[in-house]
Amino acid sequence: MFFKKNNNSKATITSQIRILRCSSCGAILQDEDKSDVGYISSKRIENHLEEGLCDRCYNLRHYNASNNQFDADYQKILTNALKTNSLIVFVIDLFSFEPSLIPNISSYLGDNLIVILNKRDILPKTQTDEEIIDHARKRLNAENIHPKEILIFSSYTKLNIEKLFAMMNQYRNGKDVYFVGAYLVGKSSIVTEMLRQYDNNTTRMITTKQVPGTVLDVMEIPLDETSSMYDTPGIYNPNSAINQLERETYKYIVPREEIQPRKIELDKNQFLILGGVACLGNLTDSKTEFTLMASNMLEVTKSKKDKLEKTFEMLISSKQIRPISSQIKSIDDLERKEIQVPPKGHMTLIVFGLYNVRFEANNQKLVVYVPKNVSVRLIID
């Protein structure tokens, strides 16, 4: 990138920059014609120029998943991929595994499929890759998803980037490649990391375009003169806390570093308050030890059942806990769900997109309070 200051004319990006291209689509950045390729607004010049993205690519990367559920438009994209025997790369977030399994997507993934288990760097190192893959395969089989390969990945540490290139070349057979996944699973980060090692030997440019017959934009990256890799928008899963809470809460609920498991004991009628957005309570006579798996930034505190409502509201109003959501001011703003645990077994209670707790089953009766529409699932490990 080369900058050239022009003090004799109006300071527009076009007059200041000799050549600066969008890092995604390759268009020359300009701030003079909103309808033309490469346009970047003055507001983003001030705040986001370092990302090197035109407005269209920036919106595709950051906002295109805000209300995109797995509807007819997505189905049209994947149906076309299946008809052309293209390779589909389905990206799953290892922390938010369950919300990554988009409802009804399995029949649109086909057989020419690779599954990427992303964000290996945030899971504790005590979990082996073999254990992770074994668990993933069981869950995928239960959802009727049968990939040719399952690859553990981390775009942050560049783990297995070479293996991903090799798998794509092995299974695509000269056809297109489609990257798909839920919002914030790290799909576009994977594509960005691949682009850092990408050498375009074609006569075609990287572009963003609207898929005909849909309202969805995709990033198209040429692989050769006749085939491309497509980065599709993240899919909105309404059952995940990520899609029910504000963007400002993400830094507290989306893990950015290796998760440190937290051992927490709850006596009878004792509750754990998780940020200003959720609660977990034990209504059983006996004490239960939980291992909390959540972002290290998610702040927690305990409360007795009879003081739960007042404590919850006090923590929010005094901003003594994080994160806080403008949608949640009291317990009444959350959904209450009771869970009856089986007599025995290794259990995991999952609150989609927010946290999970592991514990030993003993006929416990648990209560969870979660943001509205967020799913809760109890599974036997």
Side-chain angles (χ1 to χ4, degrees):
M1 301 179 183
F2 297 97
F3 292 80
K4 183 179 180 181
K5 199 81 169 175
N6 185 343
N7 295 321
N8 297 322
S9 62
K10 184 180 178 182
T12 66
I13 191 172
T14 309
S15 65
Q16 291 179 0
I17 297 175
R18 217 182 313 155
I19 180 169
L20 178 60
R21 292 184 179 273
C22 173
S23 60
S24 288
C25 69
I28 296 175
L29 295 179
Q30 52 86 19
D31 65 344
E32 296 176 344
D33 187 350
K34 189 173 183 179
S35 63
D36 200 2
V37 296
Y39 177 77
I40 179 170
S41 62
S42 57
K43 182 177 180 180
R44 283 202 49 250
I45 291 173
E46 297 174 2
N47 299 322
H48 300 288
L49 183 58
E50 69 280 358
E51 295 194 51
L53 299 171
C54 67
D55 278 8
R56 187 174 185 185
C57 290
Y58 180 85
N59 291 333
L60 175 62
R61 174 111 5 129
H62 292 276
Y63 301 116
N64 213 39
S66 60
N67 57 7
N68 290 326
Q69 298 191 42
F70 187 66
D71 56 12
D73 284 354
Y74 276 98
Q75 293 165 15
K76 185 175 294 186
I77 291 174
L78 291 181
T79 297
N80 180 66
L82 295 178
K83 286 181 180 178
T84 57
N85 198 32
S86 298
L87 174 65
I88 295 176
V89 180
F90 184 40
V91 181
I92 288 176
D93 183 334
L94 278 170
F95 171 69
S96 294
F97 193 100
E98 294 301 320
S100 297
L101 299 175
I102 305 297
N104 305 316
I105 199 173
S106 60
S107 59
Y108 293 90
L109 295 177
D111 298 323
N112 197 19
L113 172 70
I114 293 173
V115 167
I116 294 181
L117 305 178
N118 193 28
K119 304 185 183 180
R120 175 63 179 96
D121 54 288
I122 68 171
L123 291 191
K125 294 182 176 65
T126 52
Q127 291 183 255
T128 68
D129 289 357
E130 291 74 19
E131 291 171 338
I132 293 170
I133 290 177
D134 182 61
H135 169 77
R137 196 178 299 278
K138 289 177 181 177
R139 287 296 298 120
L140 292 170
N141 285 339
E143 296 293 325
N144 199 29
I145 298 173
H146 306 291
K148 293 183 180 294
E149 300 274 5
I150 298 177
L151 181 66
I152 289 181
F153 196 88
S154 169
S155 54
Y156 179 73
T157 65
K158 303 177 178 60
L159 175 67
N160 287 335
I161 184 71
E162 293 83 7
K163 284 187 179 181
L164 178 55
F165 278 114
M167 283 184 184
M168 283 176 49
N169 289 330
Q170 178 182 356
Y171 293 114
R172 77 181 187 90
N173 296 316
K175 302 296 181 63
D176 293 331
V177 179
Y178 289 79
F179 274 75
V180 298
Y183 182 44
L184 287 185
V185 297
K187 173 180 54 59
S188 291
S189 295
I190 294 174
V191 173
T192 299
E193 186 56 43
M194 295 178 72
L195 283 173
R196 290 194 176 99
Q197 303 186 33
Y198 171 76
D199 186 12
N200 189 357
N201 296 315
T202 75
T203 59
R204 304 159 59 211
M205 295 290 293
I206 298 175
T207 60
T208 56
K209 67 178 185 180
Q210 189 173 86
V211 178
T214 77
V215 297
L216 298 177
D217 286 346
V218 297
M219 183 192 303
E220 181 178 9
I221 303 162
L223 297 175
D224 52 44
E225 294 296 344
T226 59
S227 63
S228 300
M229 180 170 70
Y230 295 97
D231 181 17
T232 64
I235 303 171
Y236 173 90
N237 186 344
N239 300 322
S240 174
I242 289 172
N243 293 312
Q244 295 298 336
L245 298 175
E246 302 94 326
R247 189 175 297 271
E248 290 75 17
T249 66
Y250 291 178
K251 70 177 180 179
Y252 296 98
I253 65 175
V254 178
R256 304 295 184 186
E257 58 186 4
E258 182 180 344
I259 293 171
Q260 303 300 318
R262 289 178 257 183
K263 300 287 187 181
I264 298 171
E265 289 186 342
L266 292 181
D267 291 321
K268 180 182 180 181
N269 291 330
Q270 194 170 35
F271 279 74
L272 184 68
I273 299 174
L274 300 107
V277 295
C279 301
L280 166 67
N282 177 24
L283 302 185
T284 315
D285 288 338
S286 60
K287 180 186 300 183
T288 298
E289 181 180 89
F290 299 94
T291 299
L292 173 65
M293 301 290 290
S295 166
N296 301 332
M297 297 287 288
L298 180 68
E299 299 177 1
V300 301
T301 190
K302 290 182 181 179
S303 172
K304 291 290 187 179
K305 179 183 177 183
D306 57 357
K307 297 181 179 179
L308 179 63
E309 293 185 22
K310 289 184 178 179
T311 302
F312 187 78
E313 291 179 18
M314 180 274 294
L315 290 170
I316 291 175
S317 62
S318 61
K319 298 182 179 179
Q320 293 184 38
I321 199 164
R322 293 289 188 276
I324 292 173
S325 168
S326 62
Q327 307 170 35
I328 302 168
K329 301 298 183 185
S330 71
I331 287 288
D332 292 338
D333 295 323
L334 300 174
E335 287 187 14
R336 184 182 188 275
K337 301 182 182 184
E338 292 190 2
I339 299 166
Q340 182 61 53
V341 180
K344 60 181 179 179
H346 303 295
M347 312 301 299
T348 300
L349 176 68
I350 303 167
V351 176
F352 281 29
L354 189 55
Y355 71 88
N356 67 66
V357 289
R358 299 170 182 170
F359 62 99
E360 293 298 318
N362 187 26
N363 284 315
Q364 295 98 328
K365 183 178 180 181
L366 305 179
V367 173
V368 293
Y369 289 88
V370 296
K372 292 178 180 178
N373 300 316
V374 171
S375 291
V376 177
R377 180 171 294 168
L378 183 67
I379 62 175
I380 300 178
D381 293 340

